[in-house]
Amino acid sequence: MTLSLSIWGWGGLGVVLFLVTFGPFAIFYLAFYIFCFIGGGFAVTLLYGKINSEKHLEKWEHSYLPPTQIGILKTLDEMKLEMKPIKIDRRLTGSSFIDEPLQQVIQFALRDYIQYWYYTLSEDESFLLEIRQTLQNALVQFSTRSKEVDWQPYFTTRLVDDFATHLRVFRKAQDRLTDREDKQRDITEEMIESFFEAEVEMERKICRDVVCTSHKDEEGFLRDLCELLLYLLLPPGDFHNKNMRYFLREVLARGVLLPLINQLSDPDYINQFVIWMIRDSSCNYEAFMNILKLTDKPAELELICC
């Protein structure tokens, strides 16, 4: 009891002397100094550790130790075995003069319509190779079936009749246009309307005005045509794959057929083609083109061509 009283007495005396000497706020100052000491030591320790860690990383940054392998080794080995290169046979029709341009058309179509967005999603080229292989299989089937068709009657009879019918419809539309008294409408619209009216009269139940005058309907018609061709040429498994079929349909319709039709419909291309055909003819270019513009008698053209 006496010992505890002496401890409390001396302790209280020490506190009183401390407060008298340093003031009533000395306790707060002491606590603040202790906190700053501990915090400063902690900050110095962190800074020292950070500097040493950076030096250690710089030292081992260019280490020649092999990197650790990511993933399960067995799974990685199986994936490497599955990644076998796909070999594509570039033969399509059996003629190198035809196969090379066709391969270029396929390459350009894939580049312009698939590769530019596909490489933003994946670098795996197996999908592109599958599309290319499917296109080539369709072309091979088309070439094989084309060889079984007797083209001579078509080129000598039906194609000539269709071309002659087209010229007759055009001439009939021109005659109607000259007979009309209403000259206020646009001559192009008048010609188109007269042409398809004459076509309905001569072809009876066939009229191609919607397909020929509407770009949207033309694309829809080409899509339907390509889908029909794919149905005839592709194996059932590839055709029933909707993603693959839609890709091929768009590539063929918008990348091959539509540009081809636009080129064949270009008047400048037709004129250049006519010039190329008569290059070895005795009639010069200027005279032949003037005769085409001025004459309306087939007999004169026959005399010139003969």
Side-chain angles (χ1 to χ4, degrees):
M1 184 68 178
T2 305
L3 181 61
S4 62
L5 289 175
S6 62
I7 292 174
W8 281 104
W10 286 106
L13 180 62
V15 171
V16 171
L17 292 175
F18 180 81
L19 293 175
V20 171
T21 305
F22 297 102
F25 296 101
I27 297 177
F28 299 102
Y29 294 151
L30 180 62
F32 178 72
Y33 295 151
I34 294 173
F35 175 77
C36 291
F37 177 78
I38 296 174
F42 185 70
V44 170
T45 304
L46 288 179
L47 182 61
Y48 178 77
K50 179 177 179 296
I51 295 174
N52 285 341
S53 298
E54 291 178 351
K55 291 181 179 180
H56 183 74
L57 290 175
E58 291 178 359
K59 180 180 179 181
W60 295 102
E61 182 178 4
H62 303 289
S63 175
Y64 293 98
L65 294 176
T68 57
Q69 194 168 10
I70 301 175
I72 303 175
L73 297 179
K74 185 176 180 180
T75 304
L76 293 175
D77 294 337
E78 291 180 356
M79 292 176 64
K80 290 180 180 179
L81 292 176
E82 292 178 357
M83 296 175 59
K84 296 180 180 179
I86 301 176
K87 296 182 179 180
I88 296 179
D89 189 1
R90 299 179 63 87
R91 294 175 298 177
L92 298 175
T93 63
S95 174
S96 59
F97 297 100
I98 301 177
D99 292 347
E100 289 301 324
L102 286 178
Q103 289 290 345
Q104 291 181 1
V105 170
I106 294 174
Q107 182 64 34
F108 293 153
L110 293 176
R111 181 197 65 185
D112 296 338
Y113 293 96
I114 296 179
Q115 289 180 358
Y116 79 95
W117 60 263
Y118 177 75
Y119 282 132
T120 61
L121 302 177
S122 174
E123 296 181 356
D124 186 10
E125 295 188 354
S126 59
F127 176 73
L128 299 176
L129 293 176
E130 289 293 338
I131 292 181
R132 188 186 188 97
Q133 185 66 49
T134 305
L135 275 174
Q136 292 191 174
N137 292 337
L139 291 175
V140 170
Q141 289 293 328
F142 181 78
S143 174
T144 303
R145 296 190 181 187
S146 298
K147 294 176 182 178
E148 300 174 357
V149 178
D150 187 8
W151 292 102
Q152 184 175 357
Y154 175 77
F155 284 113
T156 58
T157 305
R158 184 173 177 180
L159 183 62
V160 175
D161 292 341
D162 291 340
F163 184 72
T165 302
H166 181 80
L167 292 180
R168 286 195 294 268
V169 171
F170 181 74
R171 182 58 60 88
K172 191 173 182 179
Q174 277 187 326
D175 295 338
R176 287 186 177 183
L177 194 62
T178 55
D179 295 339
R180 289 188 179 181
E181 298 180 355
D182 186 9
K183 304 295 182 180
Q184 296 180 357
R185 295 181 59 185
D186 187 10
I187 187 67
T188 304
E189 295 180 358
E190 286 279 351
M191 185 64 190
I192 293 174
E193 183 178 349
S194 300
F195 179 85
F196 288 111
E197 288 178 357
E199 183 185 35
V200 172
E201 294 178 0
M202 297 189 67
E203 298 283 348
R204 300 297 180 182
K205 297 181 180 180
I206 299 177
C207 185
R208 306 174 182 88
D209 55 344
V210 177
V211 177
C212 296
T213 56
S214 174
H215 186 71
K216 182 178 179 181
D217 293 324
E218 181 185 9
E219 290 184 357
F221 175 77
L222 292 178
R223 288 191 182 98
D224 295 339
L225 177 62
C226 291
E227 193 149 359
L228 178 61
L229 290 175
L230 293 176
Y231 174 76
L232 296 174
L233 300 176
L234 290 181
D238 292 337
F239 180 79
H240 292 298
N241 186 347
K242 291 186 177 181
N243 294 330
M244 182 72 71
R245 185 171 81 242
Y246 292 159
F247 271 122
L248 296 178
R249 185 189 68 182
E250 293 300 319
V251 169
L252 291 175
R254 297 179 58 87
V256 179
L257 294 181
L258 189 60
L260 179 62
I261 293 174
N262 292 335
Q263 184 177 11
L264 295 178
S265 304
D266 186 9
D268 182 67
Y269 176 79
I270 296 175
N271 293 335
Q272 294 293 333
F273 185 72
V274 171
I275 292 173
W276 175 77
M277 292 182 64
I278 65 172
R279 185 178 299 275
D280 298 330
S281 177
S282 59
C283 178
N284 58 35
Y285 303 154
E286 290 79 11
F288 185 78
M289 297 305 297
N290 289 330
I291 293 171
L292 286 178
K293 293 178 181 178
L294 299 176
T295 187
D296 57 353
K297 298 179 181 180
E300 295 180 0
L301 295 177
E302 291 178 359
L303 292 175
I304 294 172
C305 294
C306 295

